[in-house]
Amino acid sequence: MTTAAETRLSAGTWNIDPVHSTVGFSVRHLMVSKVRGTFDRFNGAIEVAEDGTASVRAEIDIDSINTRNEQRDAHLKSAEFFDVANHPTATFVSTGLRRDGEDYLLDGDLTIKGITRPVTLEMQFNGVNPGMGQGEVAGFEASVVLNRRDFGIDIDTPLETGGVVVGDKVTVTLEIEAVKQQDA
């Protein structure tokens, strides 16, 4: 008998399902609240070897940024922020996976705006389900806090009362569903 959520990924390629996944972020705004947004176009895969080791590669289309405000999105795409004209994608390539109690730490190299930095995502594995006829499905949640200045997003707009319009710390949250690629 198969349980509803298995505890291990089987060997093979697991493709991120963008329809059932979210790449989101939040950043402090005016020192008192947060602006939240998503990147609506992204792709990636998890490669699991027979020995259980895994690697992850993902790409985000920066032009798909969505904060529910067209004017702000256009500003974020400009050279002052992401410079989409010259750096249309961000990439993540894993370099290691470690247990952290019941959860995991996913190490990797993140490239934004042409600058690559090592990052560690705190990750929860939600299990594997047989799926609904399209193959096995696995679920993950992950997050990381980045300093936007580390990636060349160093615009400063000070407030008259002190502080800045946009905070330095950006929390990136991922809710990922991956589908095991079927053998041909």
Side-chain angles (χ1 to χ4, degrees), residues 16 47 49 56 81 95 108 112 134:
I16 294 173
E47 297 288 340
V56 178
F81 283 92
T95 58
I112 299 173
Q134 303 299 316

PDB file of all heavy atoms in Angstrom, residues 16 47 49 56 81 95 108 112 134:
ATOM      1  N   ILE A  16      10.109  21.569 -12.324  1.00  0.00           N
ATOM      2  CA  ILE A  16       9.266  22.493 -11.579  1.00  0.00           C
ATOM      3  C   ILE A  16       8.026  22.789 -12.411  1.00  0.00           C
ATOM      4  O   ILE A  16       8.114  23.107 -13.591  1.00  0.00           O
ATOM      5  CB  ILE A  16      10.032  23.784 -11.243  1.00  0.00           C
ATOM      6  CG1 ILE A  16      11.172  23.469 -10.260  1.00  0.00           C
ATOM      7  CG2 ILE A  16       9.094  24.844 -10.678  1.00  0.00           C
ATOM      8  CD1 ILE A  16      12.098  24.626  -9.979  1.00  0.00           C
ATOM      9  N   GLU A  47      17.567  17.174 -10.278  1.00  0.00           N
ATOM     10  CA  GLU A  47      18.122  15.915 -10.778  1.00  0.00           C
ATOM     11  C   GLU A  47      18.485  15.061  -9.569  1.00  0.00           C
ATOM     12  O   GLU A  47      19.290  15.474  -8.741  1.00  0.00           O
ATOM     13  CB  GLU A  47      19.372  16.163 -11.626  1.00  0.00           C
ATOM     14  CG  GLU A  47      19.132  16.965 -12.891  1.00  0.00           C
ATOM     15  CD  GLU A  47      18.385  16.186 -13.963  1.00  0.00           C
ATOM     16  OE1 GLU A  47      18.371  14.931 -13.914  1.00  0.00           O
ATOM     17  OE2 GLU A  47      17.806  16.844 -14.846  1.00  0.00           O
ATOM     18  N   ALA A  49      20.103  11.507  -8.367  1.00  0.00           N
ATOM     19  CA  ALA A  49      20.926  10.365  -8.785  1.00  0.00           C
ATOM     20  C   ALA A  49      20.447   9.095  -8.075  1.00  0.00           C
ATOM     21  O   ALA A  49      19.705   9.148  -7.094  1.00  0.00           O
ATOM     22  CB  ALA A  49      22.391  10.641  -8.458  1.00  0.00           C
ATOM     23  N   VAL A  56      19.930  21.019  -8.093  1.00  0.00           N
ATOM     24  CA  VAL A  56      18.826  21.874  -8.521  1.00  0.00           C
ATOM     25  C   VAL A  56      19.377  22.955  -9.420  1.00  0.00           C
ATOM     26  O   VAL A  56      20.436  23.523  -9.160  1.00  0.00           O
ATOM     27  CB  VAL A  56      18.139  22.534  -7.299  1.00  0.00           C
ATOM     28  CG1 VAL A  56      17.025  23.470  -7.747  1.00  0.00           C
ATOM     29  CG2 VAL A  56      17.618  21.489  -6.331  1.00  0.00           C
ATOM     30  N   PHE A  81      17.238  49.286 -10.738  1.00  0.00           N
ATOM     31  CA  PHE A  81      17.010  48.081  -9.946  1.00  0.00           C
ATOM     32  C   PHE A  81      17.574  46.854 -10.669  1.00  0.00           C
ATOM     33  O   PHE A  81      18.764  46.599 -10.603  1.00  0.00           O
ATOM     34  CB  PHE A  81      15.514  47.915  -9.627  1.00  0.00           C
ATOM     35  CG  PHE A  81      15.037  48.822  -8.529  1.00  0.00           C
ATOM     36  CD1 PHE A  81      14.500  50.067  -8.837  1.00  0.00           C
ATOM     37  CD2 PHE A  81      15.135  48.452  -7.201  1.00  0.00           C
ATOM     38  CE1 PHE A  81      14.066  50.913  -7.829  1.00  0.00           C
ATOM     39  CE2 PHE A  81      14.703  49.292  -6.181  1.00  0.00           C
ATOM     40  CZ  PHE A  81      14.167  50.526  -6.503  1.00  0.00           C
ATOM     41  N   THR A  95      24.768  23.776  -4.926  1.00  0.00           N
ATOM     42  CA  THR A  95      26.122  23.247  -4.697  1.00  0.00           C
ATOM     43  C   THR A  95      26.136  22.223  -3.582  1.00  0.00           C
ATOM     44  O   THR A  95      27.143  21.577  -3.349  1.00  0.00           O
ATOM     45  CB  THR A  95      27.092  24.397  -4.340  1.00  0.00           C
ATOM     46  OG1 THR A  95      26.598  25.083  -3.180  1.00  0.00           O
ATOM     47  CG2 THR A  95      27.238  25.372  -5.499  1.00  0.00           C
ATOM     48  N   GLY A 108      23.687  27.054  -2.705  1.00  0.00           N
ATOM     49  CA  GLY A 108      23.822  27.238  -4.138  1.00  0.00           C
ATOM     50  C   GLY A 108      24.356  28.601  -4.494  1.00  0.00           C
ATOM     51  O   GLY A 108      24.600  29.447  -3.626  1.00  0.00           O
ATOM     52  N   ILE A 112      22.081  37.309  -9.907  1.00  0.00           N
ATOM     53  CA  ILE A 112      21.116  38.365 -10.196  1.00  0.00           C
ATOM     54  C   ILE A 112      21.914  39.549 -10.733  1.00  0.00           C
ATOM     55  O   ILE A 112      22.937  39.922 -10.168  1.00  0.00           O
ATOM     56  CB  ILE A 112      20.339  38.802  -8.935  1.00  0.00           C
ATOM     57  CG1 ILE A 112      19.539  37.637  -8.350  1.00  0.00           C
ATOM     58  CG2 ILE A 112      19.424  39.990  -9.242  1.00  0.00           C
ATOM     59  CD1 ILE A 112      18.879  37.954  -7.012  1.00  0.00           C
ATOM     60  N   GLN A 134      -0.252  12.217 -14.224  1.00  0.00           N
ATOM     61  CA  GLN A 134       0.837  12.847 -14.973  1.00  0.00           C
ATOM     62  C   GLN A 134       2.204  12.472 -14.430  1.00  0.00           C
ATOM     63  O   GLN A 134       3.210  12.984 -14.886  1.00  0.00           O
ATOM     64  CB  GLN A 134       0.678  14.375 -14.946  1.00  0.00           C
ATOM     65  CG  GLN A 134      -0.642  14.866 -15.480  1.00  0.00           C
ATOM     66  CD  GLN A 134      -0.864  14.480 -16.925  1.00  0.00           C
ATOM     67  OE1 GLN A 134       0.028  14.590 -17.756  1.00  0.00           O
ATOM     68  NE2 GLN A 134      -2.049  14.001 -17.242  1.00  0.00           N
TER      69      GLN A 134
END
